[in-house]
Amino acid sequence: MTSQIDILKKLINDNPDFVILTGAGVSTASGIPDFRSKDGLYNKVKNAEYYLSIDALANEPQAFFKFYKKYILLDNIKPNVIHNKLAYLEKQNKLGCIITQNIDGLHILAGNQKVIELHGTIYENYCMKCHKTYSLEYVKQAKDIPYCQCGGKVRPNVVLYGESLFNGIIEKCYQKLNKTNLLIVAGTGLSVSTAANIFNMFNGKYIVILNNEPTPYDHRANLIIRDDLAQVFDKI
């Protein structure tokens, strides 16, 4: 009997320009908690969404950065088998693009270059006043609020709650999705409107959903694997 992993392998081999949409579930094996599961950040920490919003940054910057440094800027985080396998697939010319909701930068750290970071990355930071850029380490080492030499606040170049996506990023996603017949969804429940909208842009032939929990779009998938993502990618 053909296993689900064998079917997934064949789909990847037959569609070397496949696109994968990744969410928080691909980074949990690196020690980063997800957001919306029963053990996720939003269920464990009160008002988590507020503390990751533009309102918190504007009105309570000290509280924003206290939360951001404690729960988002985690130490000793490295790419896991999922990130490494996707980097390998790109080097083997079997991957068209990664579209990720994650801001942890682990896809790029693993070696992937064909990455669209929907919500930005913690590795890019800039002054809200003069727009000078700063490193992740600068933000980490700042006491409380990181300030620029000009006196402006330094903020992460990530999309906070209450902010719009970066200009042109949806068009980039559409261009990639329009060139492939295979979309793989990994580690996201597709409950966030951005992810759902990108999923609905895809008009290709095959959809694979790799997620521990059901999604609202399971009925559209050709293949669903509900298993530990690290184990799934380890077998590819």
Side-chain angles (χ1 to χ4, degrees), residues 146-206:
Y147 284 101
C148 175
Q149 294 172 342
C150 76
K153 289 194 292 285
V154 175
R155 63 158 289 175
N157 191 27
V158 301
V159 178
L160 303 174
Y161 285 100
E163 292 186 306
S164 301
L165 294 179
F166 303 125
N167 288 336
I169 203 159
I170 293 298
E171 179 61 27
K172 288 181 182 178
C173 295
Y174 177 77
Q175 290 174 0
K176 296 296 183 181
L177 290 167
N178 200 36
K179 294 178 181 178
T180 183
N181 269 321
L182 172 61
L183 171 63
I184 298 176
V185 176
T188 173
L190 298 172
S191 58
V192 177
S193 60
T194 302
N197 290 340
I198 288 169
F199 178 87
N200 285 319
M201 288 180 188
F202 178 67
N203 291 312
K205 196 170 182 182
Y206 303 108

Side-chain angles (χ1 to χ4, degrees), residues 83-102:
H83 304 102
N84 293 331
K85 188 57 65 76
L86 289 173
Y88 170 80
L89 289 171
E90 182 179 306
K91 289 176 183 175
Q92 298 298 313
N93 296 315
K94 292 180 179 291
L95 170 62
C97 180
I98 297 171
I99 301 173
T100 185
Q101 298 171 257
N102 300 337

Side-chain angles (χ1 to χ4, degrees), residues 4-5 15 18-19 24 46 89 94 103 105 111 130 159 219 224:
Q4 289 181 313
I5 297 294
N15 297 276
F18 79 91
V19 173
K46 187 177 180 181
L89 289 171
K94 292 180 179 291
I103 62 172
C130 74
V159 178
H219 63 284
I224 299 172

